[in-house]
Amino acid sequence: MPDARLTPVIRLAPAKLNLTLAVVGRREDGFHELHSVFVPLTLADRLSLAPARASAREDSLHVTGFDAGPIPENLVLRAIATARATVGEGPGRPPTPSLAARLEKRIPVAAGLGGGSSDAAAALGGALEAWGAELDSERRLRAAASIGSDVPFFLRGTPALVEGRGERLTPLKGVHGHPGILLVTPRVAIRTPDVFAVFDGIRGAGDGSVRMSSEHLAQELGNGLSATDLVARAGVLASANDLLPAAILVVPGLQGMKRALTRTLGRAVGMSGSGPTLWTLYPSLAEAQAAAGLVEAAVAAGTIPTLGDGPPSIIATTITTGHEEGTS
Ligand code: C5P
């Protein structure tokens, strides 16, 4: 029998988009109660985990692609450590030798697309697989939630209504077909706690309209919605993010960029998560790619302003159901 500990594990870690994000209350622990429809995207990081050399005493991580910040703070290392602690040591437990991780970052970082959380979920599941360790779904969920609020969603990575702090998941059928989505991420990293802090200062809780849109969409996606029907709802969805006013205060210029995108594309523009990624929806990938060309030209011509450290990342991708890509 092949030794499971010698098997390198390769996983896709998909990005997510919040089609809706209602903040429905503030909790005693400082976190916020959410009602949010999450969908996975085809855009994904790639994570590989292999046994470290026998002499290595610590897990290691090598990152290519987008700059993911300091390696010791990376959630991949935190997730491997959490997996090891959860499996525990002792008789009957599989050994959990050090792992060498490689991460290809294709998802913009600190952008509202959940890339770091998705990498963490992939690392948690991947480490358990590399060690041949079993963990029931309840303990897996708790381990994921201890790493970050968005991590539980990525354990399955299929469309879901996400509630509570992020740990209450109701799977949804999602969207039939592959609607295209254009992501425009200004080169300014946003810290999620900053956006929630400003949100608390200006409002304390959403006014309820976003929650109504979110409940309605969750119901519709529970039965499954066609790409055309989803695009027809883009105007409502673009306004269905309670964190948008706060993100606009945290990132000066985001409002101007959003307006310029709306003008250039003639479509409703939404924001994912706590931002700053802005999105527009299309019936197909080809149309999202054509829109990406228009935005690139407008950025080059200066009709879409540049924020932060350079031109925005412009990525055309699709919304998926997360089943067919083998990401779970
Ligand atoms: O859980 P995570 O570390 O990703 O959360 C980052 C920050 O975002 C938290 O410290 C908190 O300020 C805020 N947050 C929140 N309510 C949530 C999720 C995140 O207030 N449901």
PDB file of all heavy atoms in Angstrom, residues 134-166:
ATOM      1  N   GLU A 134      -7.706  11.402   9.861  1.00  0.00           N
ATOM      2  CA  GLU A 134      -9.167  11.568   9.762  1.00  0.00           C
ATOM      3  C   GLU A 134      -9.612  12.637  10.755  1.00  0.00           C
ATOM      4  O   GLU A 134      -9.054  12.719  11.854  1.00  0.00           O
ATOM      5  CB  GLU A 134      -9.877  10.264  10.155  1.00  0.00           C
ATOM      6  CG  GLU A 134      -9.503   9.048   9.347  1.00  0.00           C
ATOM      7  CD  GLU A 134     -10.156   9.060   7.979  1.00  0.00           C
ATOM      8  OE1 GLU A 134     -11.191   9.755   7.837  1.00  0.00           O
ATOM      9  OE2 GLU A 134      -9.626   8.411   7.060  1.00  0.00           O
ATOM     10  N   LEU A 135     -10.582  13.429  10.348  1.00  0.00           N
ATOM     11  CA  LEU A 135     -11.150  14.413  11.282  1.00  0.00           C
ATOM     12  C   LEU A 135     -12.622  14.551  10.910  1.00  0.00           C
ATOM     13  O   LEU A 135     -12.931  14.822   9.737  1.00  0.00           O
ATOM     14  CB  LEU A 135     -10.420  15.754  11.097  1.00  0.00           C
ATOM     15  CG  LEU A 135     -10.345  16.702  12.288  1.00  0.00           C
ATOM     16  CD1 LEU A 135      -9.673  16.031  13.481  1.00  0.00           C
ATOM     17  CD2 LEU A 135      -9.542  17.947  11.887  1.00  0.00           C
ATOM     18  N   ASP A 136     -13.533  14.336  11.864  1.00  0.00           N
ATOM     19  CA  ASP A 136     -14.951  14.422  11.489  1.00  0.00           C
ATOM     20  C   ASP A 136     -15.309  15.864  11.132  1.00  0.00           C
ATOM     21  O   ASP A 136     -14.588  16.806  11.476  1.00  0.00           O
ATOM     22  CB  ASP A 136     -15.848  13.869  12.614  1.00  0.00           C
ATOM     23  CG  ASP A 136     -15.703  14.668  13.889  1.00  0.00           C
ATOM     24  OD1 ASP A 136     -16.041  15.857  13.886  1.00  0.00           O
ATOM     25  OD2 ASP A 136     -15.226  14.095  14.898  1.00  0.00           O
ATOM     26  N   SER A 137     -16.454  16.006  10.439  1.00  0.00           N
ATOM     27  CA  SER A 137     -16.751  17.314   9.844  1.00  0.00           C
ATOM     28  C   SER A 137     -16.962  18.386  10.913  1.00  0.00           C
ATOM     29  O   SER A 137     -16.633  19.560  10.697  1.00  0.00           O
ATOM     30  CB  SER A 137     -17.954  17.226   8.906  1.00  0.00           C
ATOM     31  OG  SER A 137     -19.034  16.663   9.586  1.00  0.00           O
ATOM     32  N   GLU A 138     -17.485  17.995  12.085  1.00  0.00           N
ATOM     33  CA  GLU A 138     -17.701  18.965  13.154  1.00  0.00           C
ATOM     34  C   GLU A 138     -16.370  19.557  13.633  1.00  0.00           C
ATOM     35  O   GLU A 138     -16.224  20.778  13.774  1.00  0.00           O
ATOM     36  CB  GLU A 138     -18.417  18.241  14.312  1.00  0.00           C
ATOM     37  CG  GLU A 138     -18.836  19.131  15.457  1.00  0.00           C
ATOM     38  CD  GLU A 138     -19.704  20.291  15.023  1.00  0.00           C
ATOM     39  OE1 GLU A 138     -20.592  20.096  14.174  1.00  0.00           O
ATOM     40  OE2 GLU A 138     -19.458  21.423  15.534  1.00  0.00           O
ATOM     41  N   ARG A 139     -15.358  18.698  13.841  1.00  0.00           N
ATOM     42  CA  ARG A 139     -14.056  19.190  14.319  1.00  0.00           C
ATOM     43  C   ARG A 139     -13.335  19.968  13.217  1.00  0.00           C
ATOM     44  O   ARG A 139     -12.635  20.939  13.480  1.00  0.00           O
ATOM     45  CB  ARG A 139     -13.199  18.018  14.804  1.00  0.00           C
ATOM     46  CG  ARG A 139     -13.720  17.458  16.118  1.00  0.00           C
ATOM     47  CD  ARG A 139     -12.933  16.265  16.554  1.00  0.00           C
ATOM     48  NE  ARG A 139     -11.615  16.635  17.050  1.00  0.00           N
ATOM     49  CZ  ARG A 139     -10.548  15.832  17.051  1.00  0.00           C
ATOM     50  NH1 ARG A 139     -10.642  14.625  16.535  1.00  0.00           N
ATOM     51  NH2 ARG A 139      -9.410  16.238  17.540  1.00  0.00           N
ATOM     52  N   ARG A 140     -13.536  19.516  11.979  1.00  0.00           N
ATOM     53  CA  ARG A 140     -12.945  20.230  10.843  1.00  0.00           C
ATOM     54  C   ARG A 140     -13.513  21.660  10.769  1.00  0.00           C
ATOM     55  O   ARG A 140     -12.789  22.629  10.568  1.00  0.00           O
ATOM     56  CB  ARG A 140     -13.305  19.478   9.559  1.00  0.00           C
ATOM     57  CG  ARG A 140     -12.209  19.397   8.530  1.00  0.00           C
ATOM     58  CD  ARG A 140     -12.696  18.546   7.373  1.00  0.00           C
ATOM     59  NE  ARG A 140     -12.135  17.225   7.430  1.00  0.00           N
ATOM     60  CZ  ARG A 140     -11.227  16.765   6.570  1.00  0.00           C
ATOM     61  NH1 ARG A 140     -10.814  17.520   5.580  1.00  0.00           N
ATOM     62  NH2 ARG A 140     -10.751  15.548   6.688  1.00  0.00           N
ATOM     63  N   LEU A 141     -14.830  21.763  10.969  1.00  0.00           N
ATOM     64  CA  LEU A 141     -15.490  23.070  10.909  1.00  0.00           C
ATOM     65  C   LEU A 141     -14.977  23.973  12.033  1.00  0.00           C
ATOM     66  O   LEU A 141     -14.696  25.153  11.823  1.00  0.00           O
ATOM     67  CB  LEU A 141     -17.010  22.895  11.016  1.00  0.00           C
ATOM     68  CG  LEU A 141     -17.831  24.167  10.893  1.00  0.00           C
ATOM     69  CD1 LEU A 141     -17.839  24.654   9.449  1.00  0.00           C
ATOM     70  CD2 LEU A 141     -19.272  23.948  11.349  1.00  0.00           C
ATOM     71  N   ARG A 142     -14.839  23.393  13.232  1.00  0.00           N
ATOM     72  CA  ARG A 142     -14.362  24.205  14.357  1.00  0.00           C
ATOM     73  C   ARG A 142     -12.926  24.670  14.133  1.00  0.00           C
ATOM     74  O   ARG A 142     -12.575  25.810  14.408  1.00  0.00           O
ATOM     75  CB  ARG A 142     -14.486  23.438  15.669  1.00  0.00           C
ATOM     76  CG  ARG A 142     -15.684  23.929  16.471  1.00  0.00           C
ATOM     77  CD  ARG A 142     -15.747  23.311  17.848  1.00  0.00           C
ATOM     78  NE  ARG A 142     -16.297  21.965  17.778  1.00  0.00           N
ATOM     79  CZ  ARG A 142     -15.796  20.904  18.396  1.00  0.00           C
ATOM     80  NH1 ARG A 142     -14.742  21.017  19.164  1.00  0.00           N
ATOM     81  NH2 ARG A 142     -16.361  19.721  18.276  1.00  0.00           N
ATOM     82  N   ALA A 143     -12.101  23.764  13.599  1.00  0.00           N
ATOM     83  CA  ALA A 143     -10.707  24.128  13.313  1.00  0.00           C
ATOM     84  C   ALA A 143     -10.676  25.252  12.280  1.00  0.00           C
ATOM     85  O   ALA A 143      -9.941  26.240  12.418  1.00  0.00           O
ATOM     86  CB  ALA A 143      -9.936  22.917  12.812  1.00  0.00           C
ATOM     87  N   ALA A 144     -11.525  25.135  11.248  1.00  0.00           N
ATOM     88  CA  ALA A 144     -11.563  26.154  10.183  1.00  0.00           C
ATOM     89  C   ALA A 144     -11.987  27.505  10.761  1.00  0.00           C
ATOM     90  O   ALA A 144     -11.368  28.541  10.485  1.00  0.00           O
ATOM     91  CB  ALA A 144     -12.521  25.714   9.072  1.00  0.00           C
ATOM     92  N   ALA A 145     -13.053  27.500  11.589  1.00  0.00           N
ATOM     93  CA  ALA A 145     -13.562  28.755  12.147  1.00  0.00           C
ATOM     94  C   ALA A 145     -12.532  29.416  13.058  1.00  0.00           C
ATOM     95  O   ALA A 145     -12.509  30.641  13.187  1.00  0.00           O
ATOM     96  CB  ALA A 145     -14.868  28.488  12.905  1.00  0.00           C
ATOM     97  N   SER A 146     -11.666  28.589  13.683  1.00  0.00           N
ATOM     98  CA  SER A 146     -10.662  29.181  14.585  1.00  0.00           C
ATOM     99  C   SER A 146      -9.584  29.923  13.785  1.00  0.00           C
ATOM    100  O   SER A 146      -8.871  30.753  14.332  1.00  0.00           O
ATOM    101  CB  SER A 146     -10.015  28.096  15.459  1.00  0.00           C
ATOM    102  OG  SER A 146      -9.082  27.342  14.711  1.00  0.00           O
ATOM    103  N   ILE A 147      -9.464  29.634  12.491  1.00  0.00           N
ATOM    104  CA  ILE A 147      -8.450  30.305  11.662  1.00  0.00           C
ATOM    105  C   ILE A 147      -8.988  31.644  11.137  1.00  0.00           C
ATOM    106  O   ILE A 147      -8.266  32.632  11.088  1.00  0.00           O
ATOM    107  CB  ILE A 147      -8.006  29.399  10.491  1.00  0.00           C
ATOM    108  CG1 ILE A 147      -7.474  28.065  11.030  1.00  0.00           C
ATOM    109  CG2 ILE A 147      -6.944  30.085   9.631  1.00  0.00           C
ATOM    110  CD1 ILE A 147      -7.296  27.004   9.961  1.00  0.00           C
ATOM    111  N   GLY A 148     -10.261  31.675  10.775  1.00  0.00           N
ATOM    112  CA  GLY A 148     -10.837  32.927  10.270  1.00  0.00           C
ATOM    113  C   GLY A 148     -12.297  32.731   9.908  1.00  0.00           C
ATOM    114  O   GLY A 148     -12.724  31.613   9.614  1.00  0.00           O
ATOM    115  N   SER A 149     -13.060  33.823   9.925  1.00  0.00           N
ATOM    116  CA  SER A 149     -14.515  33.750   9.741  1.00  0.00           C
ATOM    117  C   SER A 149     -14.919  33.163   8.394  1.00  0.00           C
ATOM    118  O   SER A 149     -15.963  32.520   8.278  1.00  0.00           O
ATOM    119  CB  SER A 149     -15.118  35.149   9.859  1.00  0.00           C
ATOM    120  OG  SER A 149     -14.752  35.744  11.085  1.00  0.00           O
ATOM    121  N   ASP A 150     -14.128  33.419   7.345  1.00  0.00           N
ATOM    122  CA  ASP A 150     -14.509  32.963   5.999  1.00  0.00           C
ATOM    123  C   ASP A 150     -14.033  31.548   5.695  1.00  0.00           C
ATOM    124  O   ASP A 150     -14.394  30.982   4.660  1.00  0.00           O
ATOM    125  CB  ASP A 150     -13.914  33.898   4.930  1.00  0.00           C
ATOM    126  CG  ASP A 150     -14.662  35.213   4.831  1.00  0.00           C
ATOM    127  OD1 ASP A 150     -15.736  35.338   5.446  1.00  0.00           O
ATOM    128  OD2 ASP A 150     -14.169  36.118   4.120  1.00  0.00           O
ATOM    129  N   VAL A 151     -13.204  30.970   6.574  1.00  0.00           N
ATOM    130  CA  VAL A 151     -12.583  29.673   6.243  1.00  0.00           C
ATOM    131  C   VAL A 151     -13.607  28.532   6.159  1.00  0.00           C
ATOM    132  O   VAL A 151     -13.532  27.707   5.240  1.00  0.00           O
ATOM    133  CB  VAL A 151     -11.424  29.345   7.209  1.00  0.00           C
ATOM    134  CG1 VAL A 151     -10.740  28.043   6.814  1.00  0.00           C
ATOM    135  CG2 VAL A 151     -10.398  30.484   7.217  1.00  0.00           C
ATOM    136  N   PRO A 152     -14.614  28.454   7.078  1.00  0.00           N
ATOM    137  CA  PRO A 152     -15.582  27.353   6.978  1.00  0.00           C
ATOM    138  C   PRO A 152     -16.224  27.238   5.589  1.00  0.00           C
ATOM    139  O   PRO A 152     -16.395  26.135   5.070  1.00  0.00           O
ATOM    140  CB  PRO A 152     -16.615  27.690   8.056  1.00  0.00           C
ATOM    141  CG  PRO A 152     -15.826  28.418   9.090  1.00  0.00           C
ATOM    142  CD  PRO A 152     -14.842  29.260   8.300  1.00  0.00           C
ATOM    143  N   PHE A 153     -16.579  28.382   4.980  1.00  0.00           N
ATOM    144  CA  PHE A 153     -17.198  28.334   3.649  1.00  0.00           C
ATOM    145  C   PHE A 153     -16.346  27.536   2.670  1.00  0.00           C
ATOM    146  O   PHE A 153     -16.851  26.756   1.856  1.00  0.00           O
ATOM    147  CB  PHE A 153     -17.420  29.758   3.103  1.00  0.00           C
ATOM    148  CG  PHE A 153     -17.692  29.784   1.620  1.00  0.00           C
ATOM    149  CD1 PHE A 153     -18.937  29.421   1.118  1.00  0.00           C
ATOM    150  CD2 PHE A 153     -16.693  30.140   0.717  1.00  0.00           C
ATOM    151  CE1 PHE A 153     -19.180  29.412  -0.256  1.00  0.00           C
ATOM    152  CE2 PHE A 153     -16.931  30.135  -0.655  1.00  0.00           C
ATOM    153  CZ  PHE A 153     -18.182  29.771  -1.133  1.00  0.00           C
ATOM    154  N   PHE A 154     -15.024  27.713   2.752  1.00  0.00           N
ATOM    155  CA  PHE A 154     -14.139  27.107   1.750  1.00  0.00           C
ATOM    156  C   PHE A 154     -13.891  25.613   1.991  1.00  0.00           C
ATOM    157  O   PHE A 154     -13.271  24.968   1.154  1.00  0.00           O
ATOM    158  CB  PHE A 154     -12.815  27.873   1.690  1.00  0.00           C
ATOM    159  CG  PHE A 154     -12.940  29.223   1.058  1.00  0.00           C
ATOM    160  CD1 PHE A 154     -12.848  30.378   1.819  1.00  0.00           C
ATOM    161  CD2 PHE A 154     -13.161  29.344  -0.306  1.00  0.00           C
ATOM    162  CE1 PHE A 154     -12.962  31.630   1.234  1.00  0.00           C
ATOM    163  CE2 PHE A 154     -13.288  30.589  -0.902  1.00  0.00           C
ATOM    164  CZ  PHE A 154     -13.190  31.740  -0.126  1.00  0.00           C
ATOM    165  N   LEU A 155     -14.342  25.079   3.124  1.00  0.00           N
ATOM    166  CA  LEU A 155     -14.196  23.627   3.323  1.00  0.00           C
ATOM    167  C   LEU A 155     -14.942  22.882   2.228  1.00  0.00           C
ATOM    168  O   LEU A 155     -14.472  21.880   1.716  1.00  0.00           O
ATOM    169  CB  LEU A 155     -14.732  23.201   4.698  1.00  0.00           C
ATOM    170  CG  LEU A 155     -13.877  23.602   5.902  1.00  0.00           C
ATOM    171  CD1 LEU A 155     -14.542  23.113   7.182  1.00  0.00           C
ATOM    172  CD2 LEU A 155     -12.461  23.032   5.799  1.00  0.00           C
ATOM    173  N   ARG A 156     -16.152  23.364   1.880  1.00  0.00           N
ATOM    174  CA  ARG A 156     -16.910  22.786   0.764  1.00  0.00           C
ATOM    175  C   ARG A 156     -16.696  23.597  -0.499  1.00  0.00           C
ATOM    176  O   ARG A 156     -16.580  23.052  -1.581  1.00  0.00           O
ATOM    177  CB  ARG A 156     -18.400  22.758   1.085  1.00  0.00           C
ATOM    178  CG  ARG A 156     -18.824  21.636   1.997  1.00  0.00           C
ATOM    179  CD  ARG A 156     -20.274  21.842   2.384  1.00  0.00           C
ATOM    180  NE  ARG A 156     -21.128  21.864   1.197  1.00  0.00           N
ATOM    181  CZ  ARG A 156     -21.850  20.817   0.809  1.00  0.00           C
ATOM    182  NH1 ARG A 156     -21.831  19.714   1.504  1.00  0.00           N
ATOM    183  NH2 ARG A 156     -22.599  20.889  -0.266  1.00  0.00           N
ATOM    184  N   GLY A 157     -16.693  24.903  -0.327  1.00  0.00           N
ATOM    185  CA  GLY A 157     -16.491  25.782  -1.485  1.00  0.00           C
ATOM    186  C   GLY A 157     -17.607  25.721  -2.507  1.00  0.00           C
ATOM    187  O   GLY A 157     -17.380  25.946  -3.693  1.00  0.00           O
ATOM    188  N   THR A 158     -18.823  25.413  -2.046  1.00  0.00           N
ATOM    189  CA  THR A 158     -19.962  25.437  -2.968  1.00  0.00           C
ATOM    190  C   THR A 158     -20.862  26.606  -2.557  1.00  0.00           C
ATOM    191  O   THR A 158     -20.773  27.077  -1.424  1.00  0.00           O
ATOM    192  CB  THR A 158     -20.739  24.104  -2.911  1.00  0.00           C
ATOM    193  OG1 THR A 158     -21.126  23.865  -1.560  1.00  0.00           O
ATOM    194  CG2 THR A 158     -19.873  22.944  -3.381  1.00  0.00           C
ATOM    195  N   PRO A 159     -21.749  27.086  -3.468  1.00  0.00           N
ATOM    196  CA  PRO A 159     -22.570  28.262  -3.135  1.00  0.00           C
ATOM    197  C   PRO A 159     -23.289  28.054  -1.804  1.00  0.00           C
ATOM    198  O   PRO A 159     -23.781  26.952  -1.537  1.00  0.00           O
ATOM    199  CB  PRO A 159     -23.566  28.339  -4.293  1.00  0.00           C
ATOM    200  CG  PRO A 159     -22.890  27.638  -5.428  1.00  0.00           C
ATOM    201  CD  PRO A 159     -22.052  26.554  -4.805  1.00  0.00           C
ATOM    202  N   ALA A 160     -23.328  29.083  -0.994  1.00  0.00           N
ATOM    203  CA  ALA A 160     -23.924  28.914   0.335  1.00  0.00           C
ATOM    204  C   ALA A 160     -24.450  30.236   0.871  1.00  0.00           C
ATOM    205  O   ALA A 160     -23.927  31.308   0.555  1.00  0.00           O
ATOM    206  CB  ALA A 160     -22.885  28.357   1.317  1.00  0.00           C
ATOM    207  N   LEU A 161     -25.497  30.108   1.688  1.00  0.00           N
ATOM    208  CA  LEU A 161     -25.912  31.219   2.534  1.00  0.00           C
ATOM    209  C   LEU A 161     -25.039  31.124   3.781  1.00  0.00           C
ATOM    210  O   LEU A 161     -24.977  30.069   4.420  1.00  0.00           O
ATOM    211  CB  LEU A 161     -27.392  31.070   2.901  1.00  0.00           C
ATOM    212  CG  LEU A 161     -27.884  31.955   4.049  1.00  0.00           C
ATOM    213  CD1 LEU A 161     -27.735  33.429   3.705  1.00  0.00           C
ATOM    214  CD2 LEU A 161     -29.333  31.625   4.380  1.00  0.00           C
ATOM    215  N   VAL A 162     -24.343  32.207   4.083  1.00  0.00           N
ATOM    216  CA  VAL A 162     -23.414  32.211   5.209  1.00  0.00           C
ATOM    217  C   VAL A 162     -23.986  33.125   6.292  1.00  0.00           C
ATOM    218  O   VAL A 162     -24.291  34.293   6.022  1.00  0.00           O
ATOM    219  CB  VAL A 162     -22.016  32.709   4.762  1.00  0.00           C
ATOM    220  CG1 VAL A 162     -21.066  32.792   5.947  1.00  0.00           C
ATOM    221  CG2 VAL A 162     -21.450  31.767   3.689  1.00  0.00           C
ATOM    222  N   GLU A 163     -24.148  32.572   7.489  1.00  0.00           N
ATOM    223  CA  GLU A 163     -24.714  33.359   8.594  1.00  0.00           C
ATOM    224  C   GLU A 163     -23.836  33.255   9.831  1.00  0.00           C
ATOM    225  O   GLU A 163     -22.832  32.543   9.834  1.00  0.00           O
ATOM    226  CB  GLU A 163     -26.127  32.870   8.912  1.00  0.00           C
ATOM    227  CG  GLU A 163     -27.122  33.138   7.801  1.00  0.00           C
ATOM    228  CD  GLU A 163     -28.480  32.540   8.114  1.00  0.00           C
ATOM    229  OE1 GLU A 163     -28.655  31.319   7.893  1.00  0.00           O
ATOM    230  OE2 GLU A 163     -29.360  33.273   8.575  1.00  0.00           O
ATOM    231  N   GLY A 164     -24.275  33.946  10.889  1.00  0.00           N
ATOM    232  CA  GLY A 164     -23.467  33.995  12.100  1.00  0.00           C
ATOM    233  C   GLY A 164     -22.222  34.806  11.813  1.00  0.00           C
ATOM    234  O   GLY A 164     -22.259  35.806  11.096  1.00  0.00           O
ATOM    235  N   ARG A 165     -21.107  34.345  12.367  1.00  0.00           N
ATOM    236  CA  ARG A 165     -19.833  35.016  12.099  1.00  0.00           C
ATOM    237  C   ARG A 165     -19.251  34.532  10.778  1.00  0.00           C
ATOM    238  O   ARG A 165     -18.295  35.085  10.260  1.00  0.00           O
ATOM    239  CB  ARG A 165     -18.886  34.655  13.242  1.00  0.00           C
ATOM    240  CG  ARG A 165     -17.779  35.595  13.481  1.00  0.00           C
ATOM    241  CD  ARG A 165     -16.786  34.936  14.412  1.00  0.00           C
ATOM    242  NE  ARG A 165     -15.555  34.666  13.705  1.00  0.00           N
ATOM    243  CZ  ARG A 165     -14.573  33.906  14.172  1.00  0.00           C
ATOM    244  NH1 ARG A 165     -14.691  33.316  15.332  1.00  0.00           N
ATOM    245  NH2 ARG A 165     -13.489  33.724  13.464  1.00  0.00           N
ATOM    246  N   GLY A 166     -19.839  33.453  10.258  1.00  0.00           N
ATOM    247  CA  GLY A 166     -19.343  32.834   9.034  1.00  0.00           C
ATOM    248  C   GLY A 166     -19.370  31.324   9.136  1.00  0.00           C
ATOM    249  O   GLY A 166     -19.057  30.613   8.190  1.00  0.00           O
TER     250      GLY A 166
END
